Amino acid sequence: MESLSKGIAKEISQTLQYDAEKEAVIAYGLLGILQLISNIGLTLLLGFIFGVPGQALLLSFSVSLLRRFSGGAHASSLNMCTLVGLVYSIAFARLSLTLTHQFHQPWLPFGVGVVSFVIAWITIVQRAPVDHPNKPIRSIPKKQRMRRGSFAVMAFYTALYLFLVIIGCDRLTFRSFGYSLVFGVLWQTFTMTPLGLLLLSNLDKNLIKRR
């Protein structure tokens, strides 16, 4: 995707006679768009194959939106990041569906939500935003904006989960979406912890060695 975005950016820059700086900006923007389209397409494709397209997509988006503000561990390449995200999204979307159909107790999603969101909120309050060694956040105002953004996203997720669980008392599909949201929040906050950073770093290194 990087080579494709650079190639398209080069063609655009030559046509419009842009300098190298503008070309780099175009390439960066195109890379983000291509990555988004690719992630959505692959998530939906695998989601349909495993019977969880909506759950997988919600889980993936919940991770991406919170990560934008809270930071956290990153894989060494876009392809590696996409692979890890896809595996987690599909696996835990399936788990969400299994929990929904195997356990019908109405108190369970409330209990899962309380425990999960308490852990997530504590992690966000203590650590957000977490920068990456390759992309340190040096600007204090930017850190403050990201921190406020993390709180806003978490508040939205908390309200959304309550809505899904309440609706899910009568409609199990909504309950499975609630579980997917929880797993997305937990994964993202886990990548903000030292253990999460260590795990992803080791996973990244092992996958690179096998290539």
Side-chain angles (χ1 to χ4, degrees):
M1 282 191 290
E2 291 184 50
S3 58
L4 177 60
S5 63
K6 288 180 180 178
I8 296 174
K10 186 176 181 180
E11 291 293 329
I12 294 174
S13 298
Q14 288 178 346
T15 303
L16 300 177
Q17 297 182 340
Y18 285 161
D19 57 22
E21 184 177 350
K22 288 184 178 180
E23 181 179 329
V25 172
I26 294 172
Y28 182 79
L30 285 172
L31 180 60
I33 294 171
L34 290 173
Q35 184 184 15
L36 177 63
I37 294 172
S38 174
N39 286 346
I40 292 174
L42 289 172
T43 300
L44 283 176
L45 175 61
L46 292 174
F48 276 114
I49 291 174
F50 289 94
V52 286
Q55 291 87 345
L57 198 60
L58 175 61
L59 200 157
S60 179
F61 273 132
S62 67
V63 173
S64 299
L65 180 59
L66 186 55
R67 180 184 294 273
R68 178 178 178 84
F69 296 100
S70 64
H74 290 272
S76 60
S77 68
L78 286 175
N79 291 337
M80 201 74 70
C81 186
T82 300
L83 175 62
V84 172
L86 281 172
V87 170
Y88 183 85
S89 296
I90 299 301
F92 280 85
R94 281 298 311 173
L95 179 58
S96 299
L97 203 60
T98 300
L99 284 174
T100 299
H101 291 293
Q102 294 295 326
F103 302 96
H104 300 287
Q105 297 87 341
W107 56 264
L108 183 61
F110 287 100
V112 169
V114 169
V115 173
S116 301
F117 276 98
V118 166
I119 293 172
W121 269 108
I122 290 174
T123 305
I124 291 291
V125 170
Q126 290 183 342
R127 303 189 60 82
V130 177
D131 57 5
H132 192 271
N134 296 334
K135 295 181 179 180
I137 307 170
R138 296 188 175 90
S139 170
I140 299 300
K142 183 177 180 180
K143 284 187 176 181
Q144 293 174 340
R145 286 196 304 271
M146 292 179 69
R147 187 171 176 81
R148 288 194 298 269
S150 299
F151 292 163
V153 172
M154 279 298 298
F156 170 70
Y157 284 172
T158 304
L160 178 60
Y161 182 76
L162 285 173
F163 170 77
L164 290 171
V165 167
I166 291 171
I167 297 296
C169 289
D170 297 318
R171 302 176 185 178
L172 293 181
T173 300
F174 286 95
R175 186 181 296 186
S176 70
F177 280 111
Y179 285 135
S180 295
L181 177 62
V182 159
F183 287 134
V185 171
L186 287 177
W187 173 252
Q188 171 51 27
T189 50
F190 175 69
T191 65
M192 298 170 61
T193 65
L195 181 60
L197 293 166
L198 179 63
L199 176 65
L200 282 181
S201 176
N202 289 334
L203 178 62
D204 201 22
K205 290 176 182 177
N206 290 330
L207 289 174
I208 290 174
K209 288 179 181 178
R210 295 182 181 182
R211 294 174 64 182

